[in-house]
Amino acid sequence: MQRYAVGLIGYGVGGAIFHAPMIAAIPGLKLARVASRSADPEALRHAYPGVTRDDTPQAMLDDPAIALVVVCTPNASHYALAKAALEAGKHVVVDKPFVLSSAEGDALVALASEKGLLLSVYQNRRWDGDFLTLRDVVASGELGPIHTYRAHFDRYAPQVKRSWKSEAQPGSGVLWDLGSHLIDQALQLFGLPRAVTAQVCIQREGAQVEDAFELVLDYGDRKAVLHASALVRAPGPRYEVHGTQGSFIKYGVDTQEDTLKGGGRPGDAGWGHDLPAHYATITGADGTSRVLPTIPGDYRTYYAGIHRTLAEGAPPPVAAGDAVAVVRVIECAYRSHHERRTIDFA
């Protein structure tokens, strides 16, 4: 198996929790360099033997051994870092959200195409167990044509944590953060909407940036309603999906994030398995219900797909163009909020 050296820019929660363990779990990838001033070099080498810690990304961009650069930094820096990596001849993965404007996204897609390089975006929640399960059910046609889709990403965090994500700067706020996941999932199920309506707001005392939103994607005879808030003490369904032949109701959030934050690693016993109490319920047109076990989630699938792209030329697990579409929806959502009207998606 061909092995590729990977350089990771950024080692905060995203880099340390969501990227590095997944990269290390793929036999064909090796985490070779990490650019981070804050990462403890000894702790980093203990976790990933042989890795080199750099203060800046330049060393990995100059290193001919590095094939793939992963950008996991504050959102406003994604464009410049991805552009520099592509210009250095590196394949690139960017954490979500891709960039802060669709124009920037289009420019990076064009640059990657011109240079014949991989460009992909880490929309890891396509591999949440609950979404994998829902996608299979929708694709099976068991629910009939879908007319109502509601997806929530609600949490209870009344105290604002100090983080760049909570500071008033470009790319901060829940719509860029959790909204990127909810939008990407909806687009994967239903394609591009014909219009977008949104309300974005601050709910918590002391918050500097938006921490709640409700977004409606208009598909004509179908509506996709996406919602997130940091002040929901007793969350309702994660997914509520209704079709002409039945309904799908699912509570609870994929377990991988909590497992990773608790020190677990991909491949541990029970990795990605859902709590049975959170299994979905499907109710058919005749009123009978059944419980549907959740397909285990696995974020490793993304980086396994990246390796196949590098080694075999397979399509990337997330096309950069898909991520540009997510950014376009976010742009429409902010316009809708500020102008207090529905925005046509064109």
Side-chain angles (χ1 to χ4, degrees), residues 19-290:
H19 286 272
M22 303 305 147
I23 295 167
I26 305 304
L29 301 176
K30 175 178 173 54
L31 185 62
R33 305 190 84 112
V34 171
S36 170
R37 289 190 179 92
S38 60
D40 181 332
E42 290 303 317
L44 188 59
R45 282 192 287 270
H46 176 74
Y48 305 101
V51 73
T52 298
R53 198 217 70 170
D54 303 306
D55 285 340
T56 73
Q58 194 59 49
M60 72 175 64
L61 298 185
D62 293 339
D63 185 349
I66 297 295
L68 173 68
V69 168
V70 177
V71 177
C72 188
T73 56
N75 298 339
S77 63
H78 286 185
Y79 173 74
L81 290 170
K83 183 172 184 286
L86 289 169
E87 289 176 336
K90 310 299 185 184
H91 302 288
V92 176
V93 165
V94 184
D95 194 35
K96 66 81 208 164
F98 183 19
V99 284
L100 300 189
S101 75
S102 54
E104 289 181 341
D106 288 337
L108 289 179
V109 170
L111 179 60
S113 176
E114 173 190 329
K115 291 185 169 292
L117 294 168
L118 163 68
L119 176 63
S120 183
V121 178
Y122 190 59
Q123 293 286 174
N124 60 301
R125 291 193 179 273
R126 291 189 188 183
W127 292 276
D128 276 358
D130 48 16
F131 182 69
L132 292 173
T133 305
L134 171 60
R135 188 175 64 181
D136 274 9
V137 170
V138 171
S140 75
E142 179 178 357
L143 303 180
I146 305 300
H147 56 78
T148 304
Y149 172 87
R150 297 182 183 275
H152 285 245
F153 211 139
D154 295 324
R155 295 170 169 173
Y156 187 67
Q159 303 302 317
V160 179
K161 294 181 179 179
R162 294 190 61 182
S163 161
W164 66 263
K165 290 184 178 182
S166 62
E167 296 175 356
Q169 60 177 280
S172 295
V174 70
L175 184 56
W176 285 109
D177 186 18
L178 302 182
S180 296
H181 291 307
L182 291 176
I183 293 166
D184 181 69
Q185 290 179 345
L187 298 190
Q188 285 299 294
L189 291 174
F190 307 121
L192 300 177
R194 68 181 194 179
V196 177
T197 309
Q199 182 179 30
V200 188
C201 62
I202 294 175
Q203 294 182 332
R204 294 176 297 175
E205 184 177 353
Q208 298 180 33
V209 294
E210 301 96 342
D211 55 11
F213 68 81
E214 182 153 294
L215 176 64
V216 179
L217 304 182
D218 180 0
Y219 291 94
D221 57 357
R222 177 191 304 124
K223 297 292 188 293
V225 182
L226 315 178
H227 181 277
S229 171
L231 283 179
V232 177
R233 192 64 189 89
R238 174 87 162 93
Y239 295 105
E240 180 183 342
V241 184
H242 303 289
T244 59
Q245 298 298 315
S247 297
F248 174 101
I249 306 295
K250 172 75 173 69
Y251 286 81
V253 180
D254 182 271
T255 60
Q256 292 175 89
E257 178 176 351
D258 285 345
T259 300
L260 288 164
K261 288 181 175 178
R265 285 294 178 262
D268 288 352
W271 174 259
H273 286 234
D274 200 6
L275 300 174
H278 291 164
Y279 287 172
T281 299
I282 294 181
T283 303
D286 62 358
T288 60
S289 297
R290 66 183 178 93

